[in-house]
Coordinates of all heavy atoms in Angstrom, one line a residue:
G1409 N -68.0 -182.0 -73.8 CA -69.3 -182.3 -74.4 C -70.2 -181.2 -74.0 O -70.3 -180.7 -72.9
Q1410 N -71.0 -180.8 -75.1 CA -72.1 -179.8 -74.8 C -73.3 -180.3 -75.6 O -73.4 -180.1 -76.8 CB -71.7 -178.4 -75.3 CG -72.8 -177.3 -75.3 CD -73.4 -177.2 -73.9 OE1 -72.8 -177.4 -72.9 NE2 -74.7 -176.8 -73.8
D1411 N -74.2 -180.9 -74.9 CA -75.4 -181.6 -75.5 C -74.9 -182.5 -76.6 O -74.1 -183.5 -76.3 CB -76.3 -180.5 -76.1 CG -76.9 -179.6 -75.0 OD1 -76.9 -180.0 -73.8 OD2 -77.5 -178.5 -75.3
E1412 N -75.3 -182.3 -77.8 CA -74.9 -183.3 -78.9 C -73.4 -183.1 -79.3 O -72.8 -184.0 -79.9 CB -75.7 -183.1 -80.1 CG -77.2 -183.4 -79.9 CD -78.0 -182.1 -79.8 OE1 -77.5 -181.2 -79.1 OE2 -79.1 -182.0 -80.3
L1413 N -72.9 -181.9 -79.1 CA -71.6 -181.6 -79.7 C -70.4 -182.0 -78.8 O -70.5 -181.9 -77.5 CB -71.4 -180.0 -79.9 CG -72.5 -179.4 -80.8 CD1 -72.2 -177.9 -81.0 CD2 -72.4 -180.1 -82.2
I1414 N -69.4 -182.5 -79.4 CA -68.2 -182.9 -78.7 C -67.0 -182.0 -79.2 O -66.8 -181.9 -80.4 CB -67.8 -184.3 -78.9 CG1 -69.0 -185.2 -78.6 CG2 -66.6 -184.7 -78.1 CD1 -69.5 -185.1 -77.2
F1415 N -66.3 -181.3 -78.3 CA -65.2 -180.5 -78.6 C -64.0 -181.3 -78.1 O -63.9 -181.7 -77.0 CB -65.3 -179.1 -77.9 CG -66.5 -178.3 -78.4 CD1 -67.7 -178.4 -77.7 CD2 -66.4 -177.5 -79.5 CE1 -68.7 -177.7 -78.1 CE2 -67.5 -176.8 -80.0 CZ -68.7 -176.9 -79.2
D1416 N -63.1 -181.6 -79.1 CA -62.1 -182.6 -78.9 C -60.7 -182.0 -78.5 O -59.8 -182.8 -78.4 CB -62.0 -183.5 -80.1 CG -61.8 -182.8 -81.4 OD1 -62.4 -181.8 -81.6 OD2 -60.9 -183.2 -82.1
G1417 N -60.7 -180.7 -78.4 CA -59.3 -180.1 -78.1 C -58.4 -180.3 -79.3 O -58.7 -179.8 -80.4
A1418 N -57.3 -181.0 -79.1 CA -56.3 -181.2 -80.2 C -55.8 -179.9 -80.8 O -55.6 -179.7 -82.0 CB -57.0 -182.1 -81.3
S1419 N -55.6 -178.9 -79.9 CA -55.0 -177.6 -80.3 C -53.6 -177.8 -80.9 O -52.9 -178.8 -80.6 CB -54.9 -176.7 -79.0 OG -56.2 -176.6 -78.5
F1420 N -53.2 -176.9 -81.8 CA -52.0 -177.1 -82.5 C -51.5 -175.7 -83.1 O -52.2 -174.7 -82.9 CB -52.2 -178.1 -83.7 CG -53.1 -177.6 -84.7 CD1 -52.6 -177.0 -85.9 CD2 -54.5 -177.7 -84.6 CE1 -53.5 -176.5 -86.9 CE2 -55.4 -177.3 -85.6 CZ -54.8 -176.6 -86.7
A1421 N -50.3 -175.8 -83.6 CA -49.9 -174.6 -84.4 C -49.2 -175.0 -85.6 O -48.6 -176.2 -85.7 CB -48.9 -173.8 -83.5
I1422 N -49.3 -174.2 -86.7 CA -48.6 -174.4 -87.9 C -47.6 -173.2 -88.0 O -48.0 -172.1 -87.9 CB -49.5 -174.4 -89.1 CG1 -50.5 -175.6 -89.0 CG2 -48.7 -174.6 -90.4 CD1 -49.9 -177.0 -89.1
G1423 N -46.3 -173.6 -88.3 CA -45.2 -172.5 -88.4 C -45.3 -171.9 -89.7 O -46.0 -172.3 -90.7
A1424 N -44.6 -170.8 -89.8 CA -44.5 -170.0 -91.1 C -44.0 -170.9 -92.2 O -44.2 -170.6 -93.4 CB -43.7 -168.8 -90.9
D1425 N -43.3 -171.9 -91.9 CA -42.7 -172.9 -92.9 C -43.7 -174.0 -93.3 O -43.4 -174.9 -94.0 CB -41.5 -173.5 -92.4 CG -41.7 -174.3 -91.1 OD1 -42.8 -174.4 -90.6 OD2 -40.7 -175.0 -90.7
K1426 N -44.9 -173.8 -92.8 CA -46.1 -174.7 -93.1 C -46.0 -176.1 -92.5 O -46.7 -177.0 -92.9 CB -46.3 -174.8 -94.7 CG -46.5 -173.4 -95.3 CD -46.7 -173.5 -96.8 CE -45.3 -173.7 -97.5 NZ -44.4 -172.6 -97.3
T1427 N -45.1 -176.2 -91.5 CA -45.0 -177.5 -90.8 C -45.7 -177.4 -89.5 O -46.0 -176.4 -88.9 CB -43.5 -177.9 -90.6 OG1 -42.9 -177.0 -89.7 CG2 -42.8 -178.0 -91.9
L1428 N -46.0 -178.6 -88.9 CA -46.7 -178.7 -87.6 C -45.7 -178.3 -86.5 O -44.7 -178.9 -86.3 CB -47.2 -180.1 -87.4 CG -48.1 -180.3 -86.2 CD1 -49.4 -179.6 -86.2 CD2 -48.3 -181.8 -85.9
A1429 N -46.0 -177.2 -85.9 CA -45.1 -176.6 -84.8 C -45.3 -177.3 -83.5 O -44.3 -177.6 -82.7 CB -45.3 -175.2 -84.7
F1430 N -46.5 -177.6 -83.1 CA -46.8 -178.4 -81.9 C -48.2 -179.0 -82.1 O -49.1 -178.5 -82.9 CB -46.7 -177.6 -80.6 CG -47.8 -176.6 -80.3 CD1 -49.0 -176.9 -79.9 CD2 -47.5 -175.2 -80.6 CE1 -50.0 -175.9 -79.6 CE2 -48.4 -174.2 -80.4 CZ -49.7 -174.6 -79.8
Q1431 N -48.5 -180.0 -81.3 CA -49.8 -180.7 -81.3 C -50.2 -181.1 -80.0 O -49.5 -181.9 -79.3 CB -49.8 -181.9 -82.3 CG -51.1 -182.8 -82.3 CD -52.2 -182.0 -82.9 OE1 -52.2 -181.7 -84.1 NE2 -53.2 -181.7 -82.1
M1432 N -51.3 -180.6 -79.4 CA -51.7 -181.0 -78.1 C -52.6 -182.2 -78.2 O -53.0 -182.6 -79.3 CB -52.5 -179.8 -77.5 CG -51.5 -178.6 -77.1 SD -52.4 -177.2 -76.5 CE -53.1 -177.7 -74.9
S1433 N -52.9 -182.8 -77.1 CA -53.6 -184.0 -77.0 C -55.1 -183.8 -77.4 O -55.6 -182.7 -77.3 CB -53.6 -184.7 -75.6 OG -54.1 -183.7 -74.7
Q1434 N -55.7 -185.0 -77.8 CA -57.1 -184.9 -78.2 C -58.0 -185.5 -77.1 O -57.5 -186.5 -76.4 CB -57.4 -185.7 -79.5 CG -58.8 -185.5 -80.1 CD -58.9 -186.2 -81.4 OE1 -58.3 -187.2 -81.7 NE2 -59.9 -185.7 -82.2
F1435 N -59.1 -185.0 -76.7 CA -60.0 -185.5 -75.7 C -59.5 -185.4 -74.3 O -60.0 -186.0 -73.4 CB -60.4 -186.9 -75.9 CG -61.0 -187.2 -77.3 CD1 -60.4 -187.9 -78.3 CD2 -62.2 -186.6 -77.6 CE1 -60.9 -188.1 -79.6 CE2 -62.8 -186.8 -78.9 CZ -62.1 -187.5 -79.9
E1436 N -58.5 -184.6 -74.1 CA -57.9 -184.4 -72.7 C -57.6 -182.9 -72.5 O -57.1 -182.2 -73.4 CB -56.5 -185.1 -72.6 CG -56.6 -186.6 -72.8 CD -55.3 -187.3 -72.9 OE1 -54.3 -186.6 -73.1 OE2 -55.3 -188.6 -72.8
D1437 N -57.9 -182.4 -71.2 CA -57.7 -181.1 -70.9 C -56.2 -180.9 -70.6 O -55.5 -181.8 -70.2 CB -58.5 -180.5 -69.8 CG -58.4 -181.2 -68.5 OD1 -57.6 -182.2 -68.5 OD2 -59.0 -180.8 -67.5
A1438 N -55.7 -179.7 -71.0 CA -54.2 -179.4 -70.8 C -54.0 -177.9 -70.8 O -54.7 -177.2 -71.4 CB -53.5 -180.1 -71.9
V1439 N -53.0 -177.5 -70.1 CA -52.4 -176.2 -70.2 C -51.0 -176.3 -70.6 O -50.1 -176.7 -69.7 CB -52.6 -175.4 -68.9 CG1 -52.0 -174.0 -69.1 CG2 -54.0 -175.3 -68.5
D1440 N -50.7 -176.2 -71.9 CA -49.3 -176.4 -72.3 C -48.7 -175.1 -72.8 O -49.3 -174.3 -73.5 CB -49.4 -177.4 -73.6 CG -49.7 -178.8 -73.2 OD1 -49.4 -179.1 -72.0 OD2 -50.1 -179.5 -74.1
V1441 N -47.5 -174.9 -72.3 CA -46.7 -173.7 -72.6 C -45.8 -174.0 -73.8 O -45.1 -175.0 -73.8 CB -45.9 -173.2 -71.5 CG1 -45.0 -172.0 -71.9 CG2 -46.8 -172.8 -70.3
T1442 N -45.9 -173.1 -74.8 CA -45.1 -173.2 -76.0 C -44.1 -172.1 -76.1 O -44.5 -171.0 -75.8 CB -45.9 -173.3 -77.3 OG1 -46.6 -172.1 -77.4 CG2 -47.0 -174.4 -77.2
T1443 N -42.9 -172.4 -76.5 CA -41.9 -171.3 -76.6 C -41.6 -170.9 -78.0 O -41.4 -171.7 -78.9 CB -40.5 -171.8 -76.0 OG1 -40.8 -172.2 -74.6 CG2 -39.5 -170.7 -76.0
W1444 N -41.8 -169.6 -78.3 CA -41.6 -169.0 -79.6 C -40.3 -168.1 -79.6 O -40.2 -167.3 -78.7 CB -42.8 -168.3 -80.0 CG -44.0 -169.2 -80.2 CD1 -44.8 -169.8 -79.3 CD2 -44.5 -169.7 -81.4 NE1 -45.7 -170.6 -79.8 CE2 -45.6 -170.6 -81.1 CE3 -44.1 -169.6 -82.8 CZ2 -46.3 -171.3 -82.1 CZ3 -44.8 -170.3 -83.7 CH2 -45.9 -171.1 -83.4
K1445 N -39.5 -168.2 -80.6 CA -38.3 -167.4 -80.7 C -38.3 -166.7 -82.0 O -38.7 -167.2 -83.1 CB -37.0 -168.3 -80.6 CG -36.9 -169.0 -79.2 CD -35.6 -169.7 -79.2 CE -35.4 -170.4 -77.8 NZ -34.2 -171.2 -77.7
R1446 N -37.9 -165.4 -81.9 CA -37.8 -164.6 -83.1 C -36.6 -165.0 -84.0 O -35.5 -165.0 -83.4 CB -37.7 -163.1 -82.7 CG -37.9 -162.1 -83.9 CD -37.6 -160.7 -83.4 NE -38.6 -160.2 -82.5 CZ -39.7 -159.6 -82.8 NH1 -40.1 -159.6 -84.0 NH2 -40.5 -159.2 -81.8
R1447 N -36.8 -165.3 -85.2 CA -35.8 -165.6 -86.1 C -35.9 -164.6 -87.3 O -36.7 -164.9 -88.2 CB -35.9 -167.0 -86.6 CG -35.8 -168.1 -85.5 CD -34.4 -168.5 -85.2 NE -34.3 -169.3 -83.9 CZ -34.5 -170.6 -83.9 NH1 -34.8 -171.2 -85.0 NH2 -34.4 -171.3 -82.8
G1448 N -35.1 -163.6 -87.2 CA -35.3 -162.5 -88.2 C -36.7 -161.9 -88.1 O -37.0 -161.3 -87.1
E1449 N -37.5 -162.0 -89.2 CA -38.8 -161.4 -89.2 C -39.9 -162.4 -88.8 O -41.1 -162.1 -88.8 CB -39.1 -160.8 -90.6 CG -38.2 -159.8 -91.1 CD -38.3 -158.5 -90.3 OE1 -39.5 -158.2 -89.9 OE2 -37.3 -157.9 -89.9
T1450 N -39.5 -163.6 -88.4 CA -40.5 -164.7 -88.2 C -40.3 -165.2 -86.8 O -39.3 -165.4 -86.3 CB -40.3 -165.8 -89.2 OG1 -40.3 -165.3 -90.5 CG2 -41.3 -166.9 -89.0
W1451 N -41.5 -165.6 -86.2 CA -41.6 -166.3 -84.9 C -41.6 -167.8 -85.2 O -42.4 -168.3 -86.0 CB -42.8 -165.9 -84.1 CG -42.6 -164.5 -83.5 CD1 -43.1 -163.3 -84.1 CD2 -42.0 -164.2 -82.3 NE1 -42.7 -162.3 -83.3 CE2 -42.1 -162.8 -82.2 CE3 -41.3 -164.9 -81.3 CZ2 -41.6 -162.1 -81.1 CZ3 -40.8 -164.2 -80.2 CH2 -40.9 -162.8 -80.1
V1452 N -40.7 -168.5 -84.5 CA -40.6 -170.0 -84.7 C -40.8 -170.7 -83.4 O -40.2 -170.3 -82.3 CB -39.2 -170.3 -85.3 CG1 -39.0 -171.8 -85.4 CG2 -39.0 -169.7 -86.6
C1453 N -41.5 -171.7 -83.4 CA -41.8 -172.5 -82.2 C -40.6 -173.4 -81.9 O -40.3 -174.3 -82.7 CB -43.1 -173.3 -82.3 SG -43.5 -174.3 -80.8
S1454 N -39.9 -173.2 -80.7 CA -38.8 -174.1 -80.4 C -39.1 -175.1 -79.4 O -38.3 -176.0 -79.2 CB -37.7 -173.2 -79.9 OG -38.1 -172.5 -78.7
E1455 N -40.3 -175.0 -78.8 CA -40.6 -176.0 -77.7 C -42.1 -176.0 -77.6 O -42.8 -175.0 -77.5 CB -40.0 -175.6 -76.4 CG -40.2 -176.6 -75.3 CD -39.5 -176.2 -74.0 OE1 -38.8 -175.2 -74.0 OE2 -39.8 -177.0 -73.0
G1456 N -42.7 -177.3 -77.6 CA -44.1 -177.5 -77.4 C -44.4 -178.9 -77.5 O -43.6 -179.7 -77.9
P1457 N -45.6 -179.3 -77.1 CA -46.0 -180.8 -77.1 C -46.1 -181.3 -78.5 O -46.4 -180.6 -79.4 CB -47.3 -180.8 -76.4 CG -47.9 -179.4 -76.7 CD -46.8 -178.5 -76.7
M1458 N -45.9 -182.6 -78.7 CA -46.2 -183.2 -79.9 C -46.9 -184.5 -79.6 O -46.3 -185.6 -79.6 CB -44.9 -183.5 -80.7 CG -45.1 -183.7 -82.2 SD -45.9 -182.4 -83.1 CE -44.6 -181.2 -83.3
S1459 N -48.2 -184.4 -79.3 CA -49.0 -185.6 -78.9 C -49.4 -186.4 -80.1 O -49.7 -185.9 -81.2 CB -50.2 -185.1 -78.1 OG -49.8 -184.4 -77.0
E1460 N -49.6 -187.7 -79.8 CA -50.1 -188.6 -80.8 C -51.6 -188.5 -80.9 O -52.3 -188.5 -79.9 CB -49.6 -190.0 -80.6 CG -50.0 -191.0 -81.6 CD -49.5 -192.4 -81.4 OE1 -48.6 -192.5 -80.5 OE2 -49.9 -193.4 -82.1
I1461 N -52.2 -188.4 -82.1 CA -53.6 -188.3 -82.3 C -54.2 -189.7 -82.5 O -53.7 -190.5 -83.3 CB -53.9 -187.4 -83.5 CG1 -53.4 -186.0 -83.2 CG2 -55.4 -187.4 -83.8 CD1 -54.0 -185.3 -82.0
P1462 N -55.3 -190.0 -81.8 CA -55.8 -191.3 -81.9 C -56.3 -191.7 -83.4 O -56.7 -190.8 -84.1 CB -57.0 -191.3 -81.0 CG -56.8 -190.1 -80.1 CD -56.0 -189.2 -80.8
E1463 N -56.3 -193.0 -83.7 CA -56.8 -193.4 -84.9 C -58.3 -193.3 -84.9 O -58.9 -193.1 -83.8 CB -56.4 -194.8 -85.2 CG -54.9 -195.0 -85.4 CD -54.4 -194.3 -86.7 OE1 -55.1 -194.2 -87.6 OE2 -53.2 -193.8 -86.6
R1464 N -59.0 -193.6 -86.0 CA -60.4 -193.3 -86.2 C -61.3 -194.0 -85.1 O -62.2 -193.3 -84.6 CB -60.8 -193.7 -87.6 CG -62.3 -193.6 -87.9 CD -62.5 -193.8 -89.3 NE -64.0 -193.9 -89.6 CZ -64.5 -193.8 -90.9 NH1 -63.7 -193.5 -91.8 NH2 -65.8 -194.0 -91.0
E1465 N -61.2 -195.3 -84.9 CA -62.1 -196.0 -84.1 C -61.9 -195.5 -82.6 O -62.8 -195.3 -81.9 CB -61.9 -197.5 -84.2 CG -62.5 -198.0 -85.5 CD -62.5 -199.5 -85.6 OE1 -61.5 -200.1 -85.0 OE2 -63.3 -200.1 -86.3
E1466 N -60.6 -195.4 -82.2 CA -60.4 -194.9 -80.9 C -61.0 -193.4 -80.7 O -61.5 -193.1 -79.7 CB -58.9 -194.8 -80.6 CG -58.6 -194.3 -79.2 CD -57.0 -194.1 -78.9 OE1 -56.3 -194.8 -79.6 OE2 -56.7 -193.5 -77.9
A1467 N -60.8 -192.6 -81.7 CA -61.3 -191.2 -81.6 C -62.8 -191.2 -81.5 O -63.4 -190.5 -80.6 CB -60.9 -190.4 -82.8
D1468 N -63.5 -192.0 -82.3 CA -64.9 -192.2 -82.2 C -65.4 -192.6 -80.8 O -66.3 -192.1 -80.2 CB -65.5 -193.0 -83.3 CG -65.5 -192.4 -84.6 OD1 -65.2 -191.2 -84.7 OD2 -65.9 -193.1 -85.6
Y1469 N -64.7 -193.7 -80.3 CA -65.1 -194.2 -79.0 C -64.9 -193.2 -77.9 O -65.7 -193.0 -77.0 CB -64.3 -195.5 -78.7 CG -64.8 -196.3 -77.5 CD1 -65.7 -197.3 -77.7 CD2 -64.4 -195.9 -76.2 CE1 -66.2 -198.0 -76.6 CE2 -64.9 -196.6 -75.1 CZ -65.8 -197.6 -75.3 OH -66.3 -198.3 -74.2
R1470 N -63.8 -192.5 -77.9 CA -63.4 -191.5 -76.9 C -64.4 -190.3 -77.0 O -64.8 -189.7 -76.0 CB -62.0 -191.1 -77.0 CG -61.1 -192.2 -76.6 CD -59.6 -191.8 -76.8 NE -59.2 -190.8 -75.8 CZ -57.9 -190.3 -75.8 NH1 -57.1 -190.7 -76.7 NH2 -57.7 -189.4 -74.9
A1471 N -64.8 -190.0 -78.2 CA -65.9 -188.9 -78.4 C -67.2 -189.3 -77.7 O -67.8 -188.5 -77.0 CB -66.1 -188.6 -79.9

Side-chain angles (χ1 to χ4, degrees):
Q1410 173 56 31
D1411 297 343
E1412 300 101 320
L1413 301 180
I1414 306 302
F1415 298 91
D1416 55 313
S1419 305
F1420 66 97
I1422 300 292
D1425 62 355
K1426 302 179 284 296
T1427 64
L1428 187 65
F1430 70 81
Q1431 175 67 66
M1432 292 174 65
S1433 59
Q1434 193 177 23
F1435 305 112
E1436 298 172 346
D1437 61 358
V1439 178
D1440 287 338
V1441 174
T1442 65
T1443 302
W1444 295 77
K1445 295 183 178 180
R1446 191 189 295 273
R1447 301 275 172 81
E1449 298 295 317
T1450 304
W1451 287 93
V1452 176
C1453 184
S1454 63
E1455 185 178 352
M1458 198 59 76
S1459 299
E1460 186 175 347
I1461 296 301
E1463 296 296 326
R1464 174 171 169 164
E1465 286 183 334
E1466 179 183 346
D1468 284 354
Y1469 191 93
R1470 292 175 69 181

